[in-house]
Amino acid sequence: MNNTPSLEVIPPKKLMGKKLRMSLAQNRTFELWHSFMPHREAITNKLSADLISMQVYDVSLDFADFTPQTEFEKWAAVEVPDFDTILPGMETYIMKGGLYAVFIYKGRASEFHDTFRFIFDTWLPASEFEIDNREHFEILGAKYKNDDPDSEEEIWVPLKAR
């Protein structure tokens, strides 16, 4: 993993996909992606081939209190320019945009916990930022290979100044 993230400001994004409520302890990620992937090619107006894995946390969540039982909404989605055509079974979401730290993670998804710990327990406390209450997401692009050790993805963490 690249220990120094880039800082990016992005505009709001329109997403189309599927969502499920879950926690880390009751992880339903496989179920979510298994229901989304067979239908992704039917979304003909997607802006790229990139897949977006997004987590939306309750506005009342204090990340200091985050536990494996904390529930959140997880999305499997693609970015679209508009919602003119919404496929049956798909939902839409407008991501707020704003300032993000972007980390490049290389490795198995199953081994991500060390990177997660580094971002939230080491990098973030040493930075001039804190978590903003916006969407967290990963971009699964051309270099993403599911649980392959050579897989690569972008980790986007929402930030605001302390």
Side-chain angles (χ1 to χ4, degrees), residues 113-130:
H113 57 275
D114 289 339
T115 299
F116 181 89
R117 206 170 292 124
F118 168 78
I119 293 169
F120 290 96
D121 295 346
T122 303
W123 182 83
L124 192 61
S127 78
E128 60 198 71
F129 303 103
E130 61 185 3

Side-chain angles (χ1 to χ4, degrees), residues 74-136:
K74 185 155 192 158
W75 283 76
V78 294
E79 186 178 1
V80 295
D82 56 58
F83 299 137
D84 292 348
T85 304
I86 301 171
L87 298 174
M90 293 285 173
E91 297 182 71
T92 61
Y93 186 94
I94 299 177
M95 185 188 300
K96 293 177 186 79
L99 177 65
Y100 281 84
V102 183
F103 294 86
I104 304 299
Y105 173 69
K106 186 173 181 180
R108 296 179 187 276
S110 60
E111 297 169 358
F112 178 70
H113 57 275
D114 289 339
T115 299
F116 181 89
R117 206 170 292 124
F118 168 78
I119 293 169
F120 290 96
D121 295 346
T122 303
W123 182 83
L124 192 61
S127 78
E128 60 198 71
F129 303 103
E130 61 185 3
I131 295 293
D132 197 2
N133 191 3
R134 290 179 285 116
E135 305 86 350
H136 296 235

Side-chain angles (χ1 to χ4, degrees), residues 15-19 32-46 51-52 75-80 82-83 85-93:
L15 304 180
M16 186 179 304
K18 293 191 173 201
K19 68 180 177 184
L32 174 63
W33 283 96
H34 188 72
S35 71
F36 174 73
M37 291 303 280
H39 307 286
R40 76 184 187 283
E41 293 305 322
I43 303 171
T44 56
N45 65 334
K46 56 186 166 282
L51 301 172
I52 297 175
W75 283 76
V78 294
E79 186 178 1
V80 295
D82 56 58
F83 299 137
T85 304
I86 301 171
L87 298 174
M90 293 285 173
E91 297 182 71
T92 61
Y93 186 94

